[in-house]
DNA sequence: AAATACAGCAACCGCTGTTAG
DNA sequence: TCTAACAGCGGTTGCTGTATT
């Protein structure tokens, strides 16, 4: 140990650089080249620590630095690389000539990240985000029997059911439920966020949404996008995470089955219209404005472990949250 | 016009890995 | 092999300009 920051030395200046300091540093490096940062300040006549000089040079004064607004191509590259690499800003910077890691990091945090969040995209995983109010706690309850839920597939939308089983398996300590889930659904367990395989989900639609944040998501079509991979190939895919997908499940056309009566009823309950196979997505994926129970961020299940209030609010948005009345008894379904 | 909130960004902090003596 | 300095990296802070009330 015993490594105290060089800036701890008394008499060394901190804070914003002046033009005079920039000039001194630039002139010195032009004559002697960068490096030897420890001795550089004294030789250059600067009351700065070497680290501060190095940062000033690498992030601002270097002649090959490109300043100004990020282009479409640059922003697209950042999103793609971040999707694959995560917060490896220095690595990302090597793919953007003239841009520093610090500049890219700042641009990500102040622009791209916010817009992704606003549009319901997790800036960490680059997947659409889901907030399932209280569902996980219900599924975690001791009285909850997963096998019963798995038997109501004719009543409930298969994808919703799938999500429910996923949550049950990922959050429950009940190994029996986990095994049951795996055997019935044949999809991988949700991964720890730190172990996630880097994903690449940059879409034309996403770019449009970033540019014009007015995304109106239809529940029945919000996950169908034109995907563009690094090779420039385009394909029609579902934006749901792979663990929520199952080619064996044929999704009904909800847009043709929604009835005004059902849409007005935001409670999670089966339709009484005779055909129980018809399930109203709107009745599930809606948080009624008139709800007397305000959304409680602490009760929202967050797959990706995001923490900030504004993110929670944004992700929940109007797109993908639903309310389950406290009075709901799953046994009533059976 | 003043106060406040917000956004953007430069700079700092602290940690880790590398290198030289 | 050990130690200290260097260099790099990612996260965070705080200043400044702008927008809003």
């Amino acid at each position: 140990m015993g490594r105290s920051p060089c800036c701890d030395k008394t008499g060394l200046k901190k804070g914003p650089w002046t033009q005079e300091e920039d000039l001194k540093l630039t002139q010195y490096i032009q004559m002697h080249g960068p490096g030897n940062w420890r001795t550089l300040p004294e030789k250059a006549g600067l009351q700065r620590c070497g680290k501060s000089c190095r940062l000033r040079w690498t992030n601002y004064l270097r002649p090959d630095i490109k300043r100004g607004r990020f282009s479409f191509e640059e922003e697209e590259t950042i999103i793609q690389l971040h999707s694959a690499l995560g917060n490896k800003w220095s690595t990302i910077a090597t793919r953007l000539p003239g841009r520093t890691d610090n500049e890219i990091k700042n641009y990500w945090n102040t622009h791209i990240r916010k817009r992704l969040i606003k549009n319901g995209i997790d800036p960490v995983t680059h997947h659409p985000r889901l907030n399932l109010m209280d569902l996980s706690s219900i599924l975690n309850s001791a009285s909850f029997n997963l096998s019963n839920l798995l038997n109501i597939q004719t009543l409930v939308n298969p994808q919703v059911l799938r999500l429910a089983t996923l949550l049950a398996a990922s959050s429950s300590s009940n190994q029996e439920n986990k095994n049951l889930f795996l055997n019935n659904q044949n999809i991988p367990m949700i991964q720890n966020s730190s172990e996630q395989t880097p994903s690449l989900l940059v879409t034309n639609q996403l770019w449009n949404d970033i540019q014009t944040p007015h995304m109106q998501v239809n529940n029945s079509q919000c996950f169908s996008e034109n995907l563009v991979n690094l090779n420039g190939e385009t394909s029609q895919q579902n934006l749901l995470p792979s663990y929520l997908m199952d080619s064996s499940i044929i999704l009904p056309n909800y847009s043709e089955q929604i009835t005004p009566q059902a849409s007005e009823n935001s409670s999670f309950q089966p339709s009484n219209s005779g055909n129980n196979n018809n399930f109203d997505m709107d009745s599930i994926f809606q948080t009624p404005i008139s709800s007397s129970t305000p959304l409680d961020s602490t009760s929202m299940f967050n797959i990706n472990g995001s923490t900030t209030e504004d993110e929670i609010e944004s992700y929940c948005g109007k797109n993908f949250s639903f309310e389950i009345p406290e009075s709901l008894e799953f046994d009533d379904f059976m």
Side-chain angles (χ1 to χ4, degrees):
Chain A
M1 294 296 286
R3 263 202 263 180
S4 60
C6 55
C7 300
D8 284 353
K9 292 179 182 175
T10 57
L12 293 185
K13 190 181 174 187
K14 292 167 68 175
W17 281 65
T18 65
Q19 277 191 332
E20 183 185 2
E21 287 176 313
D22 283 345
L23 188 62
K24 283 183 179 177
L25 180 58
T26 303
Q27 286 179 342
Y28 181 87
I29 290 178
Q30 282 175 347
M31 290 179 65
H32 303 92
N36 297 318
W37 297 108
R38 184 178 173 79
T39 57
L40 184 148
E42 188 177 353
K43 292 178 180 177
L46 291 163
Q47 299 297 312
R48 296 271 184 176
C49 69
K51 188 174 184 176
S52 180
C53 293
R54 177 171 55 83
L55 286 173
R56 182 63 179 174
W57 173 257
T58 56
N59 287 335
Y60 199 84
L61 296 176
R62 249 172 45 207
D64 58 331
I65 285 180
K66 185 203 301 182
R67 309 208 71 82
R69 185 179 169 80
F70 279 73
S71 66
F72 171 89
E73 290 77 15
E74 286 176 317
E75 187 160 337
E76 192 176 45
T77 300
I78 292 170
I79 294 172
Q80 288 179 346
L81 291 175
H82 187 274
S83 175
L85 300 169
N87 293 357
K88 301 292 183 184
W89 305 117
S90 60
T91 308
I92 294 173
T94 62
R95 298 284 295 272
L96 291 163
R99 301 293 188 182
T100 68
D101 55 351
N102 201 42
E103 190 178 15
I104 294 169
K105 178 175 61 181
N106 283 332
Y107 189 71
W108 173 270
N109 287 328
T110 57
H111 292 88
I112 302 174
R113 184 174 172 274
K114 287 180 180 178
R115 276 180 278 179
L116 290 177
I117 290 170
K118 196 171 185 177
N119 288 308
I121 305 295
D122 188 314
V124 177
T125 66
H126 293 251
H127 284 296
R129 302 195 51 151
L130 310 176
N131 285 296
L132 309 175
M133 188 175 181
D134 285 342
L135 182 57
S136 62
S137 60
I138 291 173
L139 296 175
N140 270 331
S141 67
S143 61
F144 177 66
N145 186 337
L146 180 60
S147 60
N148 287 343
L149 181 60
L150 293 174
N151 288 331
I152 62 169
Q153 295 189 24
T154 56
L155 291 177
V156 184
N157 172 281
Q159 275 197 298
V160 174
L161 181 60
R162 216 169 159 66
L163 197 50
T165 56
L166 170 71
L167 291 171
S170 63
S171 58
S172 170
S173 59
N174 185 325
Q175 188 60 42
E176 182 184 353
N177 276 0
K178 288 182 179 179
N179 294 335
L180 182 60
F181 157 76
L182 289 172
N183 291 337
N184 280 275
Q185 300 300 314
N186 193 29
I187 56 177
M189 296 285 292
I190 189 168
Q191 293 177 300
N192 183 300
S193 60
S194 63
E195 300 170 350
Q196 283 173 342
T197 302
S199 60
L200 183 61
L201 284 172
V202 181
T203 70
N204 292 332
Q205 182 64 47
L206 171 59
W207 174 256
N208 292 334
D209 292 330
I210 289 171
Q211 296 298 87
T212 54
H214 52 66
M215 194 177 181
Q216 294 295 324
V217 179
N218 181 314
N219 289 329
S220 62
Q221 56 186 218
C222 63
F223 294 118
S224 179
E225 303 283 357
N226 287 322
L227 299 186
V228 181
N229 61 22
L230 273 178
N231 299 323
E233 298 163 348
T234 303
S235 61
Q236 190 75 21
Q237 294 183 31
N238 194 314
L239 279 181
L240 270 177
S242 57
Y243 48 76
L244 292 179
M245 298 306 299
D246 186 342
S247 58
S248 67
I249 294 176
I250 300 173
L251 293 175
N253 185 346
Y254 294 103
S255 61
E256 294 177 359
Q257 296 175 346
I258 296 172
T259 64
Q261 180 186 2
S263 296
E264 289 171 9
N265 185 351
S266 61
S267 299
F268 187 82
Q269 56 184 281
S271 166
N272 294 326
S273 60
N275 184 355
N276 284 339
N277 287 337
N278 292 347
F279 200 83
D280 179 17
M281 284 287 284
D282 277 356
S283 70
I284 302 174
F285 297 106
Q286 234 179 32
T287 300
I289 296 173
S290 60
S291 170
S292 58
T293 307
L295 291 175
D296 178 3
S297 60
T298 61
S299 66
M300 289 183 187
F301 181 81
N302 191 330
I303 288 178
N304 296 298
S306 182
T307 55
T308 61
E309 288 294 320
D310 60 334
E311 285 185 24
I312 291 168
E313 184 181 353
S314 298
Y315 291 132
C316 182
K318 310 113 193 154
N319 303 337
F320 221 106
S321 60
F322 59 90
E323 183 180 70
I324 298 175
E326 289 185 6
S327 60
L328 172 67
E329 293 288 341
F330 273 90
D331 287 343
D332 294 341
F333 268 113
M334 310 307 166

